[in-house]
Amino acid sequence: MPGTFEPLPGGGAAVALDYVEISIIRSLAVQLLELIGPGPTEEAPADPLAELFAEGPSEPPADPVLRRLFPDAYSDPEQAPASPGAAEEQRAHSAEFRRFTENDLRAGKRENALSVIRSLDELGSAGEDETVLSLSSEESRHWLGALNDLRLAIGARLEIADEDDTDLLYRLSDEDPRKPMVMAYLWLGGLQETLVSTLMP
């Protein structure tokens, strides 16, 4: 089980993590939360209907990581628009879509990261020994979303655009300053892959 998720009887998943691994995942989840930004303040009126129709931003984020986490809905970076008019139309549709969906997307990603932090905090101090983290089916889905977001965020910082870029990561020298980030990216990918397997029927 070390380093890989395994299914639990009745649903959910479990993985053995040591203190360093717990610290890394928790730190990354906290950084992701800070990047996504805070949710509604406690003083905000608890009106679900108003919150449902609250408008979000219409422009893409300036930060490349946030652009990876919240991409435009109506544009394909690998395909150029047929005409300038088509490009303008794509931007208008993307802005409208973003305005009514990004707040919900941010809330979902925020909840996923919070679920990771809470479940790790419940483990207490693991010391140097491995501790088994057991997740319910719902917690597993939150973890899967958070692991995906963490890999997207790290991939954006590493400027990974396709599989060829990923292959290059394996050939980096140990002296390359990107090496720790690459190791985290690959490790989280392994965790994500095994967690997907546990959730498949």
Side-chain angles (χ1 to χ4, degrees), residues 137-157:
S137 296
E138 182 180 1
E139 289 171 330
S140 297
R141 287 189 291 273
H142 285 304
W143 265 74
L144 188 57
L147 288 172
N148 185 63
D149 288 341
L150 289 172
R151 292 192 77 241
L152 285 173
I154 296 172
R157 290 288 186 241

Side-chain angles (χ1 to χ4, degrees), residues 1-9 11-18 21 25 123 130-135 143 187 190-195 198:
M1 183 191 295
T4 61
F5 277 98
E6 294 185 2
L8 289 174
V15 63
L17 299 170
D18 63 29
E21 292 168 332
I25 296 173
L123 291 177
E130 286 184 338
T131 299
V132 175
L133 171 70
S134 297
L135 303 173
W143 265 74
W187 172 57
L191 283 177
Q192 182 182 12
E193 186 176 339
T194 60
L195 183 53
T198 69

Side-chain angles (χ1 to χ4, degrees), residues 10-92:
V15 63
L17 299 170
D18 63 29
Y19 175 73
V20 173
E21 292 168 332
I22 291 169
S23 297
I24 291 171
I25 296 173
R26 191 185 188 286
S27 174
L28 290 172
V30 169
Q31 291 176 56
L32 182 63
L33 269 180
E34 292 172 350
L35 186 65
I36 292 171
T41 62
E42 293 181 5
E43 295 78 23
D47 183 348
L49 189 60
E51 189 172 323
L52 178 65
F53 290 101
E55 294 185 7
S58 59
E59 294 298 319
D63 188 297
V65 174
L66 289 175
R67 281 201 305 274
R68 183 75 63 92
L69 292 173
F70 305 103
D72 277 339
Y74 291 92
S75 65
D76 184 352
E78 296 181 5
Q79 184 174 359
S83 68
E88 187 61 35
E89 186 177 352
Q90 281 184 353
R91 281 194 291 273

